Amino acid sequence: MTDRFSSIDWDDLRVFLAVHRAGTLRGAARALGVNHATVTRRLALLEDGLDTRLFDRRPDGLVASQAGEDLLGAAERVEVELTAVQRRVGGRDHSLHGLVRISVPPAMLRSFLARELVAFAQAHPGIELEVDAAHSYSDLARREADVAIRMADEVTEDVVGLRVIRYRKAVYAAPGYLATAGGGRTFDPAVHSWIGWGEDLPYPSWTRDTPFPELPVRHRLFSNILQLEAAREGLGLTLLPCFLGEAEPGVVRVPGTATLDGKSIWLLHHRDLGRTARVRTLIDHLAPAIRRHRRLIEGAPPSDTIAANTKY
């Protein structure tokens, strides 16, 4: 296997690693941004070249065979080395041209970040943006993104992190839903409920610090955007970042409730890319751009809600 390994194409190894991580051919295709046929063909070429089967097919997906396990460590080492070289070489790039991949939370993109990215693209026509709005974290070490905006209490990876601002969150609902609770004064646990993430139903820990810990969580929607849309349709109460809830028509903050502590908004990049001009320029644009929305991010007072909605 050693002699054959020396002639393996890196693109084939990328496919092998993607299949191993996804567990399916279609999942690997989505991760690589190619079609299913390409993944199938590349994997077949790799197996033919090595004259061995790399995956066993099981009811729950593809699992590495013994030969696949033997290849896995070497493939991961190649990935680490090539990614490190790409970062070091890319870090010497002083041109304001080329691609920057950025990972952003969908809620921020919907609220105010899209216009800031458009403003950046218009100001720097030589830089192309590839935007991934996903709830999962991108792995900066593996170059899944060059820059990441993350909402988190702390960041533990080996990356350069700038804590930009801490957001606030509040309880929101549709006006019609509040009307069924005396305008938001008399919620009944038998009738009213939370829309939430679903941990420890029906009384998860995150509801304890809210004004309504006695209300159960009856619906699990694993996205702030989905929760917002469900609340807009009158499904229940939802706890949203203020930058999302205050700027959206169709939901209002429950009267008489205060904002709650949220997480920090971070700007992250791998340390090897800190000297790349296009990456540095994007970060230098985004940090003040995010801070310009401080009032919205920290939760505009109720008396300012109309003005804030009009502005944003």
Side-chain angles (χ1 to χ4, degrees):
M1 185 169 174
T2 303
D3 292 337
R4 294 191 183 101
F5 181 76
S6 63
S7 62
I8 290 177
D9 190 312
W10 163 236
D11 285 334
D12 293 341
L13 282 184
R14 287 179 65 236
V15 168
F16 166 75
L17 287 172
V19 172
H20 172 71
R21 289 162 182 162
T24 66
L25 297 175
R26 293 194 182 280
R30 285 194 299 271
L32 295 171
V34 299
N35 60 46
H36 176 271
T38 297
V39 171
T40 302
R41 177 174 55 81
R42 284 281 188 180
L43 183 60
L45 287 173
L46 182 60
E47 291 182 326
D48 288 345
L50 295 173
D51 193 24
T52 189
R53 186 183 71 259
L54 296 175
F55 292 98
D56 294 324
R57 284 163 175 78
R58 297 182 182 175
D60 57 346
L62 297 176
V63 178
S65 64
Q66 184 57 59
E69 291 288 350
D70 293 341
L71 179 61
L72 180 60
E76 289 177 333
R77 288 193 295 273
V78 171
E79 179 186 47
V80 168
E81 289 297 323
L82 285 179
T83 303
V85 169
Q86 289 173 340
R87 288 197 306 265
R88 289 194 295 270
V89 172
R92 301 188 183 100
D93 187 353
H94 300 292
S95 170
L96 290 180
H97 290 78
L99 177 67
V100 180
R101 292 170 294 180
I102 178 171
S103 172
V104 303
M108 288 182 61
L109 195 66
R110 174 162 179 159
S111 175
F112 64 85
L113 193 61
R115 72 201 66 181
E116 299 296 350
L117 292 175
V118 168
F120 175 83
Q122 292 172 337
H124 303 282
I127 299 177
E128 300 175 12
L129 295 179
E130 180 179 294
V131 182
D132 180 16
H135 292 286
S136 59
Y137 290 163
S138 294
D139 189 332
L140 296 175
R142 292 216 308 258
R143 290 295 299 275
E144 292 178 353
D146 302 312
V147 177
I149 299 177
R150 188 174 299 174
M151 300 189 296
D153 291 317
E154 297 294 338
V155 174
T156 58
E157 297 101 311
D158 183 23
V159 295
V160 177
L162 171 64
R163 193 195 302 260
V164 181
I165 192 173
R166 193 172 185 87
Y167 71 83
R168 305 285 294 174
K169 53 190 178 181
V171 183
Y172 296 89
Y177 191 80
L178 294 179
T180 69
R185 294 185 299 273
T186 55
F187 288 103
D188 180 354
V191 176
H192 301 101
S193 61
W194 286 100
I195 304 163
W197 300 96
E199 168 250 345
D200 295 332
L201 287 181
Y203 298 102
S205 59
W206 60 265
T207 65
R208 295 170 192 164
D209 295 328
T210 72
F212 312 107
E214 75 284 359
L215 295 182
V217 176
R218 293 203 179 100
H219 309 285
R220 290 177 290 180
L221 285 76
F222 297 96
S223 157
N224 281 329
I225 303 298
L226 292 177
Q227 293 167 6
L228 168 67
E229 294 297 343
R232 192 201 308 275
E233 296 300 321
L235 189 61
L237 300 177
T238 183
L239 186 64
L240 298 174
C242 291
F243 62 75
L244 181 61
E246 296 292 334
E248 284 284 341
V251 296
V252 296
R253 193 188 305 179
V254 175
T257 59
T259 61
L260 304 171
D261 285 337
K263 298 179 180 180
S264 293
I265 296 175
W266 296 79
L267 267 174
L268 308 174
H269 67 87
H270 196 282
R271 61 185 71 255
D272 290 341
L273 293 179
R275 292 173 294 169
T276 303
R278 60 185 182 273
V279 170
R280 186 75 259 167
T281 301
L282 177 60
I283 292 171
D284 290 344
H285 171 89
L286 286 175
I290 292 170
R291 292 190 183 108
R292 277 198 298 273
H293 297 270
R294 177 182 294 274
R295 288 181 62 256
L296 185 65
I297 291 169
E298 294 181 344
S303 60
D304 293 339
T305 299
I306 295 177
N309 283 340
T310 301
K311 179 178 179 180
Y312 294 101

